[in-house]
Amino acid sequence: MAASSLHTSISPRSFLPLSKPSPKPHRSQVFLRNKQRSCVSCALINDETDVIPVKSHDDGSVVVMSNETERDVNEPVVVGQLSFEGFPSSSPAADMGDDKSRESEEMDKMIDRSINATIVLAAGSYAITKLLTIDHDYWHGWTLFEILRYAPQHNWLAYEEALKRNPVLAKMVISGVVYSVGDWIAQCYEGKPLFEIDRARTLRSGLVGFTLHGSLSHFYYQFCEELFPFQEWWVVPAKVAFDQTVWSAIWNSIYFTVLGFLRLESPLSIFKELKATFLPMLTAGWKLWPFAHLITYGLVPVEQRLLWVDCVELIWVTILSTYSNEKSEARISESVIENPSSSTTPIDPSKE
């Protein structure tokens, strides 16, 4: 049934006449017959009830006429045309590359976490060991209760001895540790996992605390005592007012400026950040420091003031570091929006 309908649908002109035998067919005739056979094979594959009109041109090309009702009967469909529509654009090689990229990113994160965990655990173990073994030369016959009982007192005596030997270096070390830990707390507060902190950012904050805050604070508290050498009741409020206006303005400016240079930013960007953060940070400090400095200038001796201030700095450095990082992130976003063609790779705002 299908074969008969198929043969009736093929134009007689598409075949060479059989009534005229030829001793040897021409090469073009053989090629035409092969095309006709392939066209017949294509017709057999389709539905048996459909009639596939085939038309042969004089130039030897063969086209199949579509019998769909919605298509024009005169519109030919060329046999052998391959369409890629509907196929996904991604190839197995691209998928494999994406998998390798994701595996590489996961491996980098794992290595980064391992390094951070090693640093934190090593530093914490060293600090705890030094604090608990302060009396290791005198442990002969001591019980565990005696060791834990005398360790805080003897550590304090060791700190006072270090202040007598080299007060500036001792205060620099304390400030460096406090500013590093404060930045770590700030990053955790921002939502980063415990061991996925930005080491470069923590190092910059600790470097500022070690090189500048410890040494400058040592000389500042001595200068403040010489500036107000009185014993009247108004001296403490006057020192607090001076601290929260002159000294806070100076130190906040130093902090943001030095961090900007350590991030290799341009002087114009540093100035913009300083201008944007000056008043907000100065007024934010008034919510914390006046109450803390009533103790600083009213109860704590001059040599011990920085230790007390550094304890409060754990909170303040968290605020400073968080605010500085937010401003840096906003500035980077604005620069990318204004000049999208200046950078083809995204910048991590946590890496200040």
Side-chain angles (χ1 to χ4, degrees):
M1 180 67 179
S4 62
S5 62
L6 177 64
H7 284 292
T8 58
S9 64
I10 300 176
S11 175
R13 292 184 301 174
S14 61
F15 293 96
L16 293 175
L18 299 177
S19 60
K20 296 180 180 180
S22 178
K24 185 176 180 181
H26 193 267
R27 184 178 301 175
S28 62
Q29 297 175 350
V30 174
F31 177 76
L32 180 59
R33 289 177 183 176
N34 291 335
K35 280 195 173 184
Q36 291 170 348
R37 291 194 186 110
S38 64
C39 188
V40 172
S41 301
C42 294
L44 290 174
I45 294 175
N46 290 324
D47 191 2
E48 294 182 356
T49 61
D50 295 334
V51 177
I52 310 299
V54 179
K55 183 177 181 181
S56 176
H57 294 286
D58 296 334
D59 57 355
S61 62
V62 179
V63 296
V64 178
M65 302 299 295
S66 174
N67 63 341
E68 295 178 0
T69 58
E70 66 271 18
R71 185 186 296 271
D72 188 3
V73 294
N74 296 323
E75 181 181 359
V77 179
V78 181
V79 175
Q81 184 177 1
L82 183 60
S83 174
F84 292 95
E85 295 181 358
F87 289 90
S89 59
S90 61
S91 62
D95 294 339
M96 186 178 298
D98 294 340
D99 294 338
K100 289 183 178 180
S101 178
R102 285 192 293 268
E103 291 178 0
S104 177
E105 291 178 359
E106 291 295 331
M107 182 63 65
D108 292 340
K109 286 184 178 180
M110 185 66 66
I111 294 174
D112 199 57
R113 292 172 188 168
S114 301
I115 295 174
N116 290 337
T118 302
I119 294 174
V120 172
L121 294 177
S125 301
Y126 176 78
I128 293 174
T129 302
K130 292 295 291 182
L131 292 175
L132 295 178
T133 60
I134 188 67
D135 297 321
H136 68 280
D137 294 333
Y138 310 100
W139 276 359
H140 303 290
W142 283 25
T143 63
L144 181 60
F145 175 76
E146 291 175 335
I147 293 175
L148 297 177
R149 175 186 176 185
Y150 292 107
Q153 178 183 358
H154 293 173
N155 276 290
W156 179 260
L157 295 175
Y159 168 70
E160 289 184 334
E161 185 66 25
L163 286 179
K164 294 178 181 178
R165 291 197 306 267
N166 197 336
V168 178
L169 180 60
K171 295 175 182 179
M172 288 171 64
V173 172
I174 293 173
S175 293
V177 172
V178 167
Y179 270 67
S180 299
V181 175
D183 183 80
W184 181 31
I185 296 174
Q187 294 189 45
C188 294
Y189 175 78
E190 293 167 9
K192 291 186 179 180
L194 188 63
F195 294 125
E196 290 187 8
I197 59 175
D198 183 2
R199 292 189 302 274
R201 172 180 161 180
T202 303
L203 179 62
R204 287 192 292 266
S205 182
L207 187 62
V208 173
F210 176 78
T211 57
L212 297 174
H213 184 262
S215 56
L216 294 179
S217 296
H218 169 76
F219 295 109
Y220 162 71
Y221 289 122
Q222 291 184 349
F223 170 76
C224 192
E225 288 300 309
E226 295 179 358
L227 186 63
F228 301 96
F230 310 105
Q231 301 297 327
E232 284 77 6
W233 64 268
W234 55 267
V235 173
V236 172
K239 290 179 180 178
V240 173
F242 180 80
D243 186 288
Q244 288 304 292
T245 53
V246 178
W247 172 243
S248 292
I250 293 174
W251 172 245
N252 290 344
S253 301
I254 292 174
Y255 180 81
F256 284 104
T257 301
V258 175
L259 276 184
F261 279 115
L262 291 178
R263 290 193 297 257
L264 302 179
E265 296 179 354
S266 63
L268 182 59
S269 299
I270 296 173
F271 177 76
K272 289 181 179 179
E273 181 179 356
L274 183 61
K275 183 179 179 181
T277 58
F278 182 79
L279 284 178
M281 293 309 301
L282 185 64
T283 55
W286 295 347
K287 302 176 183 178
L288 172 67
W289 284 113
F291 306 99
H293 281 325
L294 290 176
I295 300 175
T296 303
Y297 297 106
L299 301 176
V300 181
V302 178
E303 290 300 323
Q304 312 297 340
R305 284 177 182 172
L306 184 60
L307 181 62
W308 159 250
V309 168
D310 280 337
C311 292
V312 184
E313 286 276 0
L314 283 174
I315 303 174
W316 182 241
V317 172
T318 302
I319 299 173
L320 280 177
S321 182
T322 303
Y323 199 78
S324 176
N325 186 66
E326 289 177 354
K327 289 297 181 181
S328 178
E329 180 180 354
R331 188 175 59 255
I332 291 174
S333 301
E334 291 176 359
S335 63
V336 171
I337 293 174
E338 293 176 356
N339 301 315
S341 61
S342 62
S343 177
T344 58
T345 58
I347 301 174
D348 188 358
S350 64
K351 297 179 180 180
E352 300 172 305

